Amino acid sequence: MFSRNFFIRIQGPFACFTRPEFSAERVTYDLITPSAARGILEAVLWKPAICWEIQRISLLRPIRYIRICRNEVSSRLSTAKALSAAVGDKAMPDFYADEDRTQRNTVALRDVAYGIAARFRMTRRAGPRDNIRKFEEMFERRLQKGQQCYQPYLGCREFPASVEPWDGGGVLESESRMLGWMLHDLVFGVDGKTEPVNQPRFFVAELRCGVLEVPAWEEVKPTIPETSHQ
């Protein structure tokens, strides 16, 4: 059971949808990934009873890149140690950023805007009082008022996103290119040994006249392309 289609405009000054084949440096995909778009919609409305599905991603602004070089720390304080220090069991360990600093490069996107066509389906966790119409009205009301469960972001938390209704216009129809292998989403579940697995699913993405058609979840096999191991 699927909801009606929703059309959402997502935009922001910066974005970085990191490609998994680059482990040391952050290099973005040319376009927002379906999983990133799903996360933004979940920031507006997430319930255990529904699951979002991205159908199309439209490019509303030209693809532009920006290179950022930043000093970052290689490690962070564990939550357990922080809680222990907070209750007075142990002293807060010393941390010197200058001794744990590393320089990393980021290839990000700038001045991005996307039009998303999406819908949601009911899950097995839906209760007896849950129904599609209820969540349709809830999402539409929250989208119109700008209400969010948490701040949506464009790949990285330091790149906030604004979310609003979209009328379907402004697509850059002159943009057509092959985008290569793109992350569709992750499979969350357990294998035969009851061990948790997070298995990525990739698909060959192609931007045609400014629009990326996202295949259905069932059409994407849980395989990892060879390029992701480089």
Side-chain angles (χ1 to χ4, degrees), residues 1 47-51 120-132 134-135:
M1 298 177 63
K47 295 291 182 180
I50 65 174
C51 179
F120 63 81
R121 58 177 173 82
M122 305 298 292
T123 69
R124 296 180 180 178
R125 301 176 66 182
R129 296 186 178 181
D130 293 329
N131 58 80
I132 289 180
K134 167 187 173 180
F135 293 114

Side-chain angles (χ1 to χ4, degrees), residues 14-18 26 28 36 70 72 106 108 151-161:
F14 300 102
C16 183
F17 311 105
T18 308
R26 295 191 184 97
T28 183
R70 298 183 294 182
E72 302 179 5
T106 298
Q151 174 61 54
Y153 54 90
L154 294 162
C156 298
R157 293 187 182 274
E158 60 264 37
F159 299 150

Side-chain angles (χ1 to χ4, degrees), residues 1-5 51-53 55 119-122 132-133 136 216 218:
M1 298 177 63
F2 287 96
S3 70
R4 65 179 179 85
N5 292 340
C51 179
W52 284 101
E53 178 182 292
Q55 297 175 286
R119 62 183 181 179
F120 63 81
R121 58 177 173 82
M122 305 298 292
I132 289 180
R133 183 58 182 168
E136 285 180 341
E218 297 78 10

